[in-house]
Amino acid sequence: MASKKQTQGLTSFRELPPGGRAMIGAAVIWSLAWKGASLWRAACNGSKPWFVTLLLSNTLGALDAIYLYAVDRPDRRERRTEEAILAATGEPEQLAHSDET
């Protein structure tokens, strides 16, 4: 007959072997780094749906990396910034005319 401790398995983090604890710690740090970067970018862009999705998901950084490198590409950010400036100032777009009159 197995003892009570053997049938319950691991009951606390302290009972994990050192390698297991290191793996969990590395996964937590990895996930927090990606999540922090993606949440920051989503908040700066004012993207509430992405912010909530990234906040509630736990994919060890996979969804966060997809957002940072596929959804929020730099060219899109630059275009949104230019559109925001034009909308705020009311100036028409230059349309490749470098000389102002």
Side-chain angles (χ1 to χ4, degrees):
M1 184 171 193
S3 70
K4 186 176 179 182
K5 187 167 185 149
Q6 288 175 341
T7 59
Q8 287 182 340
L10 298 174
T11 58
S12 73
F13 185 73
R14 292 181 184 174
E15 292 181 16
L16 283 174
R21 281 186 261 170
M23 291 289 289
I24 290 175
V28 167
I29 291 169
W30 173 265
S31 182
L32 285 175
W34 280 104
K35 190 160 296 292
S38 64
L39 287 174
W40 178 267
R41 182 87 50 87
C44 287
N45 292 337
S47 179
K48 290 179 185 178
W50 269 106
F51 185 88
V52 171
T53 301
L54 293 167
L55 182 65
L56 298 178
S57 68
N58 188 14
T59 58
L60 290 178
L63 184 61
D64 303 292
I66 290 169
Y67 175 73
L68 289 172
Y69 290 108
V71 175
D72 186 45
R73 294 190 311 245
D75 60 327
R76 288 185 183 177
R77 275 185 278 139
E78 290 171 7
R79 190 171 358 139
R80 284 192 305 253
T81 303
E82 180 69 23
E83 290 169 357
I85 292 170
L86 292 174
T89 60
E91 292 184 21
E93 192 171 354
Q94 293 295 320
L95 301 175
H97 296 287
S98 59
D99 298 330
E100 291 191 30
T101 57

